[in-house]
Amino acid sequence: MVGLLFLLLPTILLSLPAQASTESQVFGPNEKIVSAYQAGDLSVDDMVTYGVASLTAPETVPEELRPTGPLSTDPQTYLTYLSAMSGKASESARKVLSPPAQASHATTDTAKTNTVSTNAANTNYDCARDEPFEYMTKDFYCWANVDGFVIFYNVVGGVPPTPAEPSGRPTVIQHMVEAVSIAAKTYRAMGYTITSNPAVPHGIFVGLDKITYPRGEWKVKAPFVMPIGYNFLPTILIPSDSKDFVSEGYDYHARHELFHVFQYSYWPAGQVGVELIWDFFASDKFGSMNWWMEATAEWATHMTYVKYPAHVPDPTQKIRYARNIGEFLSRPRDALNAWDGWGESRQYGAFLLPLYLTEQIGPDFVRHTWEHIRSAKSAPITAIKASLNGRDLNMLLHTFAIANYRLASPQPLMEAMGYRDPDVDMWRSILAKENATDEDMLGGARPARLPQAASVGYDTFLGPQLQPGGSFYIDLAAEKGAPPTTLTVQGYTVLPGKPVPGITWSVLVWSRAGEGSSALPEYPQAHNRWGHTQREVKIEDFRYPMVATMIATRHDLRVSSAAAMLDYGSAFWWVGNYVPVQNRTCDLRKPSIGPLELNAAPADTFNDYAFTTPDGWTGGDSTYSMRMPDGRTLWLFSDTFLGPLINGTRPTSAKLINNSFVIQDGTKLTTVHGGTAEEPKALLPPPDSTHWYWSGDGFIVGNTLQVVFQKYRREGTGPMPFAFDENVVATFSLSDLTKPTNITKLPSGAGVAWGSAILPASRSGDGYTYIYGVSDAPINKQMRVARVKGNDLRVGRWQYLNLWGWTEVENNAGYIMTGIANEYSVTPWKGQFLLLSQDSTEAFSGQINAFTSCDPFDGFTNKTSVYRMPEPGPLGSYLDPDIISYNPHVHYEQSTEESLLISYNVNSMDNRVHPDADLYRDSRIYRPRFFRATIS
C-alpha cells in the first residue's frame, strides 16, 4: 500500500521547516538513540543496530539508550528511517535490515514464472522448515521465487494453510505469486526498468505482523516498502493477520507495492540514494513526491488488470485501486498535488490524473515522468510539465476537471474531454456512494460542487478559493415553468492588491438525465463554452430542463505540496440569469405642451357633489380612474372624508375612511364604501388600530376590477407618522363594489410600494401588465417596474426590471429613474409611452414633468415641463406653509393624443382634528385639481 515516502505522519511533515536538516526533528521512537547519534556519541553502525533493537529486542539495548515509555512516532516510520540510514552503515550493522540472499532462495529457475498458470508458479515453490531464513528477528520457513522476487512466508503461524495445489502452497500465496508475475511482466513491457539479478532477488516478506516495545505492541496494519532491505534493495513487508489483506489484498497489494519497487529504480544512479532519501524525509519534498508515487502506483495496478483481465482471482481485487476516487473528487478545490500524510486516502484517489494524462498524451507518459525524476532529480510537478509532448498543461488540467465531472463513456461532442477507460461505470458506482457528491441534478455522482436552482433573476458573485491545480464546480439549473432567459457568467476578477491566479474556465450546457432533446442532448453529451478566452459566456434561451455547469481550474501549479496546500487564490465571477429585455423602436420625440385648461371637468362635478351630499365623498386623494364596461367612470381614492359639510367647513365629527370608490355617471356621483351609511368603513378596512390600507392604481378586465392597496403602519411622529408595510391586490366584481371577492398578498419584501401606476396588458402592446412602484424617500424617490403576463396580478409570475434584464427576485429589482413621485402614470401616446410625475428631486416641489420612451418600462427621456402646481408652500396660492400638492395622474380614458386630462392632489400637513385646522376650516383644500393640457 505504501512506499518509502509515505511513512511520515502528516502532522509531523506540516510542522517541518522547508529545509529541515536534523534527524531528531522528525524521528523519535527512541529519541535517546537519535539524540546520541546526532550529538556524535554514537556511530551510524550503533545507531542502526540499537535503533532496530529498540523495536525488536529492547533488552539488548544499553540501559542508558533503552526506551522506557510509549513511542513518540509509529515504529513503521522509524523503521523506514533506519532502513534509509543503513545505507551508511557497515554490512554487519545492517544485516538485520539488509541481509544477503541465501543460495537456496536465489538459484531457482524463474523462466517459467513469466506465465500466470498455477502449475508454472508452483515449480518455484519450496518449504524448508529445517532451514529458516531470519528477517527482523522472525523466522521464515517457506519461499517462492518469481521474476527476480522471492516471497518469504510461513504456513504455520502465518497465512492460513489453505492449499491451492497438492504442493500445499496456500491460496493467498499462490495469488501473490501470480500477481507478482503479472505485475512484473506488465511493468517491464511498459518500459519500466528494475535491477534484476537472479542471484540477488528483491524480497517480499509476508507475516511481519507486529513489533513489540516495552510499553506495548505495534501492529503492522498495511503493507509498505523499505528503501533498503533484503539484499540492500527495496523490500516489501506485508502483514498476515489482517482479514482484509488475507481475503482481498494479496493480489491487489502485490501489484501496487511492486510498482513502488520499480519507482525506486528511477532514483539517481538507479538506486535509492540515502542522502536524497533523508532530504525528502526532513523537508516538504516528502509529500511532494509521495502523492505522485501513490497516484501512479494505483494507476499501474489498474494497468495490470487491464492487461490481464481474465486473471482476477477475486473480483473485489480489481476495483481496490479506485476505492479512494470519492475522497479525491469530494475535494476538487484542493491542490493537484495535495498530500494528506502517510496512508491517507486523497493521494490514492489521484490515480485519475496519470490515467487521464496517459489517455491524452500517450501510453508512455507516466514512465517519462519517472525518467525525468531520475535524470533531472526533479519533483513530480516539474516532471509532469516536462513530459507533456508539447501539449498545453493549462488546458489539460481544465479538460481533466471536465472529464471528472462527466465520468462517462466516449462522447462525440466532447471526445477530448472524457475518459476512455473501461472502468468508468465502476468509478461512478463508487463515487455515487460519497456523501460529498450528493444532490446531483443530472443523474449519477460528480465531484463536489455547488448546486443552485438558477431562478429567473438569480444573481450572485462567486469567489471560490482554489489551491494550485484545484477546480470549482457550480451547477446552475433552469427552473421548471420559468420563461426562457439569458444566463450570463462574467469573470474573472480579483481583489485589489491580490495576485492573479492562472485560471481556465468554461461552462458546460446540457439537459437533465432523461429529459434531453435532439437540440440539446441530455447527459452525458454536452456543449462546452470557453470563458477564459472571451471573459463572458452567455447561454441564450436558457430554459428547463437545461443545466449549465461552470467549471474553473487554477493552473499555476506549485512544486511543493506543502506550499500548494497553503496557497489559497480567490477569483470572482458574476452570474446572472435574466429574461432578456426586448427593446422596441419608435419615432421617439419630445412632447410639446400647449395651452392649459385649468379647473377642467370633472372638477365642478366633484365640488358640487361635495357641497351637497349628506353622507358621500367630500374630499380625498390618490384619484385614479378607469372606464367601466357600461361607460361609467370609476374613481379610486385613498383617505376619504364623508359629508355633510356646513357652509363649506368640515365638522370635526366628519367620518374619515382610508379608501373608497366614487362612480361617475355623467354629472352624477355615487360614493362606494364598506359598512353602512351610519357606520361607514373603508372598502379594505384597517386590520387593527395601527395599520390601514391606501389605494394604488387598478384596472378592469371584463366584469372584474383589480386594485392594488398598500398597507401602512403607524411609525414615528410629526405630520407623516407612518411607514410602508405590505402590498395586496383586491379583486372586486363590478356588480358589487362594496366588498372584494378576494384579497391576495403581493410581493413586498423589497419595501417597494407597488401600484403607483398600472399599465394593463390591453394597453402595453406586449401582453404584459406593468406594475409601477416607488422606493420612498424624502426626496429623489426611486421608480421600480414589475410586470405580469396577462391580466391577473394574483397568478402570474412577477418579473422585475434591473440593469441586466427581468428578474423574479423582488430584492433584485433595480431603480429605473429617480425623482419620481409616490404616484404617477404611464400612458400610451402616439406610438410611444408618456410618463407623468411630480418632481421629487426637491421636497414638496410643485413641478409636474413628462417623459417619453419607446418602452413602457425604461428609457424615459425628453424631460418636459407640464405645469407647476400653484398651491403649495408659504408663497403658494394659500400662503400657507402647511399646504402641499402631490401625485399627478393622466386619466387615459378621458384623454386623447392631443389633450391629456391630468389631476393632482392638495393636502395640508396640519393634521389636527380642530375647527381651525386647515382641512376642517376649508373643505376645498383636500380635493383633487383637474386641468387639461394640449400636447403634440
Side-chain angles (χ1 to χ4, degrees):
M1 177 180 291
V2 292
L4 165 67
L5 301 182
F6 324 133
L7 303 179
L8 289 181
L9 298 177
T11 52
I12 296 175
L13 173 69
L14 294 177
S15 67
L16 290 176
Q19 298 297 327
S21 60
T22 58
E23 290 92 335
S24 60
Q25 288 179 295
V26 180
F27 300 103
N30 191 340
E31 292 162 343
K32 296 177 182 179
I33 294 174
V34 173
S35 298
Y37 168 69
Q38 197 63 24
D41 297 333
L42 281 183
S43 66
V44 67
D45 280 10
D46 288 340
M47 190 272 288
V48 171
T49 301
Y50 294 149
V52 174
S54 70
L55 297 176
T56 58
E59 69 279 359
T60 65
V61 178
E63 186 173 354
E64 68 275 12
L65 298 177
R66 192 176 303 166
T68 58
L71 302 180
S72 59
T73 296
D74 68 86
Q76 184 171 331
T77 300
Y78 187 39
L79 186 61
T80 303
Y81 163 63
L82 294 173
S83 167
M85 295 306 293
S86 71
K88 296 180 178 181
S90 65
E91 183 176 346
S92 60
R94 67 174 183 251
K95 64 182 178 181
V96 175
L97 289 171
S98 307
Q102 295 181 1
S104 62
H105 302 150
T107 57
T108 305
D109 177 25
T110 61
K112 294 181 180 180
T113 62
N114 286 332
T115 70
V116 295
S117 70
T118 299
N119 290 332
N122 275 341
T123 62
N124 300 308
Y125 170 68
D126 190 14
C127 232
R129 299 179 184 277
D130 296 332
E131 301 178 15
F133 182 75
E134 182 180 351
Y135 188 68
M136 294 292 293
T137 73
K138 184 178 180 68
D139 291 336
F140 290 90
Y141 291 88
C142 303
W143 52 84
N145 285 300
V146 56
D147 274 339
F149 294 85
V150 57
I151 302 172
F152 294 91
Y153 66 98
N154 290 319
V155 173
V156 178
V159 296
T162 305
E165 297 289 333
S167 63
R169 178 177 293 171
T171 302
V172 291
I173 295 299
Q174 181 62 37
H175 289 171
M176 180 175 290
V177 168
E178 294 167 359
V180 169
S181 175
I182 288 172
K185 182 163 58 175
T186 300
Y187 302 153
R188 290 187 175 110
M190 293 164 66
Y192 293 88
T193 59
I194 189 173
T195 301
S196 182
N197 183 346
V200 187
H202 290 74
I204 303 173
F205 292 86
V206 181
L208 184 64
D209 298 325
K210 61 186 178 181
I211 296 176
T212 59
Y213 56 94
R215 292 294 182 91
E217 178 179 274
W218 173 70
K219 290 187 176 181
V220 180
K221 297 180 180 180
F224 67 100
V225 178
M226 291 200 307
I228 299 174
Y230 178 68
N231 281 333
F232 205 59
L233 295 170
T235 299
I236 301 173
L237 303 182
I238 300 178
S240 65
D241 63 350
S242 169
K243 181 180 179 181
D244 279 347
F245 296 127
V246 170
S247 63
E248 300 179 1
Y250 278 93
D251 180 64
Y252 157 78
H253 285 291
R255 303 176 192 227
H256 179 102
E257 301 303 328
L258 199 71
F259 195 70
H260 288 320
V261 174
F262 274 79
Q263 287 168 339
Y264 290 139
S265 294
Y266 290 86
W267 292 85
Q271 63 180 0
V272 178
V274 173
E275 295 298 338
L276 186 59
I277 292 296
W278 169 243
D279 183 44
F280 272 78
F281 272 158
S283 74
D284 66 3
K285 295 178 183 177
F286 185 97
S288 303
M289 180 68 77
N290 172 258
W291 76 277
W292 190 241
M293 291 185 74
E294 293 296 9
T296 56
E298 295 285 50
W299 165 83
T301 301
H302 174 45
M303 292 299 103
T304 66
Y305 290 109
V306 173
K307 181 70 173 176
Y308 294 97
H311 192 81
V312 180
D314 184 339
T316 62
Q317 295 291 286
K318 66 173 293 183
I319 68 173
R320 288 180 65 85
Y321 79 94
R323 67 194 182 281
N324 293 303
I325 189 174
E327 179 65 20
F328 180 74
L329 293 180
S330 67
R331 295 162 50 192
R333 300 191 203 184
D334 286 6
L336 188 72
N337 55 338
W339 181 75
D340 288 355
W342 168 68
E344 297 300 327
S345 301
R346 189 182 189 278
Q347 51 261 30
Y348 295 86
F351 77 89
L352 287 171
L353 180 65
L355 191 151
Y356 180 76
L357 293 180
T358 296
E359 288 186 346
Q360 295 296 311
I361 297 170
D364 298 329
F365 168 74
V366 173
R367 192 189 77 237
H368 289 162
T369 67
W370 285 106
E371 290 170 346
H372 192 273
I373 289 171
R374 175 171 60 189
S375 62
K377 300 182 181 180
S378 66
I381 290 296
T382 303
I384 289 171
K385 291 180 178 180
S387 306
L388 296 177
N389 197 26
R391 296 287 296 276
D392 179 0
L393 178 61
N394 298 348
M395 186 57 65
L396 282 170
L397 292 179
H398 188 59
T399 56
F400 172 61
I402 294 174
N404 289 333
Y405 189 83
R406 295 172 51 251
L407 288 175
S409 57
Q411 303 164 36
L413 293 178
M414 299 173 64
E415 185 173 352
M417 289 172 280
Y419 288 100
R420 299 187 290 272
D421 194 274
D423 280 358
V424 166
D425 289 341
M426 181 265 288
W427 301 345
R428 296 187 69 204
S429 66
I430 295 174
L431 189 60
K433 300 175 184 178
E434 290 292 324
N435 292 335
T437 60
D438 283 350
E439 300 181 23
D440 189 84
M441 297 178 178
L442 305 173
R446 298 287 182 283
R449 62 209 172 280
L450 179 65
Q452 292 284 339
S455 57
V456 178
Y458 173 86
D459 187 344
T460 190
F461 280 93
L462 301 173
Q465 287 193 323
L466 296 174
Q467 293 177 353
S471 294
F472 168 74
Y473 304 85
I474 177 172
D475 284 345
L476 300 165
E479 182 183 1
K480 195 169 187 176
T485 59
T486 296
L487 179 72
T488 303
V489 183
Q490 291 180 350
Y492 59 94
T493 185
V494 296
L495 294 176
K498 298 293 184 179
V500 180
I503 290 179
T504 304
W505 65 280
S506 62
V507 179
L508 308 183
V509 186
W510 44 33
S511 290
R512 288 175 172 85
E515 300 187 64
S517 66
S518 58
L520 186 75
E522 68 182 37
Y523 172 82
Q525 296 183 356
H527 300 284
N528 191 58
R529 316 286 180 89
W530 297 110
H532 65 286
T533 55
Q534 59 201 62
R535 311 299 293 173
E536 178 180 87
V537 171
K538 284 185 177 290
I539 310 300
E540 297 178 351
D541 200 27
F542 185 61
R543 64 176 74 197
Y544 188 88
M546 293 169 65
V547 177
T549 299
M550 176 190 156
I551 304 178
T553 303
R554 182 177 171 187
H555 50 69
D556 54 328
L557 302 181
R558 301 286 292 272
V559 169
S560 162
S561 290
M565 293 165 68
L566 295 175
D567 183 355
Y568 292 91
S570 292
F572 297 88
W573 288 260
W574 174 79
V575 181
N577 187 41
Y578 292 94
V579 175
V581 173
Q582 301 291 331
N583 290 111
R584 313 180 196 185
T585 59
C586 70
D587 182 17
L588 185 63
R589 53 211 163 131
K590 184 175 182 178
S592 175
I593 303 299
L596 303 180
E597 177 191 352
L598 303 181
N599 197 35
D604 289 342
T605 299
F606 274 97
N607 288 332
D608 292 345
Y609 180 66
F611 279 109
T612 59
T613 182
D615 53 9
W617 179 97
T618 64
D621 64 356
S622 285
T623 322
Y624 294 100
S625 72
M626 55 213 65
R627 186 67 49 81
M628 300 173 71
D630 59 9
R632 295 179 296 169
T633 299
L634 179 65
W635 297 89
L636 280 56
F637 292 95
S638 290
D639 280 345
T640 303
F641 277 113
L642 300 178
L645 300 178
I646 302 173
N647 296 323
T649 66
R650 181 172 286 116
T652 58
S653 60
K655 301 292 187 180
L656 176 67
I657 58 178
N658 298 123
N659 50 80
S660 70
F661 297 158
V662 173
I663 298 175
Q664 179 186 0
D665 186 359
T667 60
K668 178 183 177 182
L669 301 182
T670 303
T671 303
V672 182
H673 56 69
T676 64
E678 294 76 21
E679 293 295 332
K681 294 181 180 179
L683 295 167
L684 259 65
D688 53 54
S689 61
T690 60
H691 292 81
W692 63 90
Y693 292 98
W694 281 336
S695 178
D697 202 355
F699 61 99
I700 294 173
V701 177
N703 195 42
T704 300
L705 165 69
Q706 285 196 346
V707 180
V708 175
F709 288 90
Q710 297 140 8
K711 186 167 73 173
Y712 284 81
R713 64 181 181 274
R714 248 175 250 292
E715 185 174 291
T717 59
M720 296 184 178
F722 53 83
F724 170 79
D725 196 78
E726 71 172 353
N727 303 292
V728 300
V729 60
T731 303
F732 296 83
S733 170
L734 295 184
S735 62
D736 182 6
L737 291 172
T738 61
K739 58 181 179 297
T741 59
N742 177 270
I743 299 174
T744 303
K745 290 188 176 183
L746 295 181
S748 305
V752 177
W754 296 108
S756 298
I758 291 178
L759 181 66
S762 60
R763 301 203 294 263
S764 69
D766 60 8
Y768 283 95
T769 293
Y770 287 85
I771 308 101
Y772 303 89
V774 63
S775 293
D776 204 1
I779 62 172
N780 288 316
K781 304 172 193 290
Q782 296 178 343
M783 175 184 177
R784 314 279 174 170
V785 179
R787 69 179 185 178
V788 176
K789 192 73 172 178
N791 300 303
D792 195 336
L793 304 187
R794 300 169 301 175
V795 298
R797 298 175 68 105
W798 279 52
Q799 297 177 0
Y800 312 88
L801 186 64
N802 67 18
L803 291 175
W804 299 279
W806 295 98
T807 171
E808 291 185 358
V809 181
E810 186 194 11
N811 284 331
N812 287 349
Y815 70 88
I816 306 308
M817 59 186 298
T818 58
I820 206 74
N822 289 86
E823 296 177 10
Y824 48 94
S825 61
V826 177
T827 307
W829 177 71
K830 293 188 176 181
Q832 52 201 305
F833 293 89
L834 182 116
L835 166 65
L836 185 89
S837 176
Q838 178 186 15
D839 186 351
S840 73
T841 59
E842 58 182 73
F844 304 113
S845 167
Q847 181 62 42
I848 299 174
N849 296 318
F851 306 81
T852 56
S853 173
C854 292
D855 297 303
F857 47 79
D858 195 7
F860 290 101
T861 186
N862 294 323
K863 180 179 178 181
T864 302
S865 174
V866 175
Y867 182 59
R868 178 168 288 275
M869 298 176 283
E871 294 85 357
L875 301 179
S877 60
Y878 284 92
L879 300 176
D880 184 345
D882 289 330
I883 299 300
I884 58 174
S885 56
Y886 54 101
N887 293 345
H889 301 149
V890 169
H891 298 276
Y892 174 75
E893 285 96 351
Q894 302 178 65
S895 299
T896 67
E897 290 190 343
E898 291 76 31
S899 175
L900 303 178
L901 177 64
I902 300 171
S903 70
Y904 62 91
N905 299 130
V906 179
N907 204 338
S908 174
M909 297 177 68
D910 178 4
N911 56 12
R912 297 173 298 148
V913 181
H914 190 276
D916 291 337
D918 288 345
L919 301 187
Y920 292 89
R921 66 176 177 79
D922 187 349
S923 65
R924 294 170 297 180
I925 294 175
Y926 189 57
R927 290 181 196 157
R929 276 39 170 190
F930 295 90
F931 68 93
R932 188 168 289 277
T934 302
I935 183 171
S936 61

